[in-house]
Amino acid sequence: MHAERIEAIRAANPWLPEDYLRLLPRIEPGERRYGLTWLDGPQAPGQVAGPAAADHFPHAWWIGRRSGQAVGYERHADGRPGLCE
């Protein structure tokens, strides 16, 4: 992913963990790498799968898919993101 896009993702989502941000230079959206098919940055479930997904995952941001299942981060009450699948 290009540096400008990574910086835009970082600016829009300052809560993202550094381990995720460190991977971004080595991946491209739609590419399958490290067991995931990557999205173009974190996306709200409603953006990817419609209103039902938004209702079911209200605090999640998806980053990719593994075996058809969404993978992403869910923000906890204290602001920490937790990886979820």
Side-chain angles (χ1 to χ4, degrees):
M1 193 175 292
H2 297 285
E4 297 84 18
R5 178 65 183 132
I6 296 168
E7 195 54 41
I9 290 169
R10 181 186 297 272
N13 304 281
W15 55 270
L16 284 168
E18 285 298 317
D19 61 341
Y20 168 71
L21 294 167
R22 278 194 304 269
L23 289 175
L24 293 181
R26 294 181 290 236
I27 60 119
E28 289 297 326
E31 177 182 50
R32 182 165 175 79
R33 188 162 190 172
Y34 306 116
L36 292 179
T37 301
W38 294 85
L39 299 174
D40 184 22
Q43 296 181 20
Q47 290 175 279
V48 179
D55 291 342
H56 193 68
F57 302 101
H59 303 291
W61 290 89
W62 292 351
I63 60 170
R65 292 191 173 277
R66 180 188 343 259
S67 303
Q69 299 296 317
V71 175
Y73 291 99
E74 186 169 35
R75 293 181 70 182
H76 299 285
D78 65 3
R80 287 181 312 109
L83 193 60
C84 59
E85 186 167 349

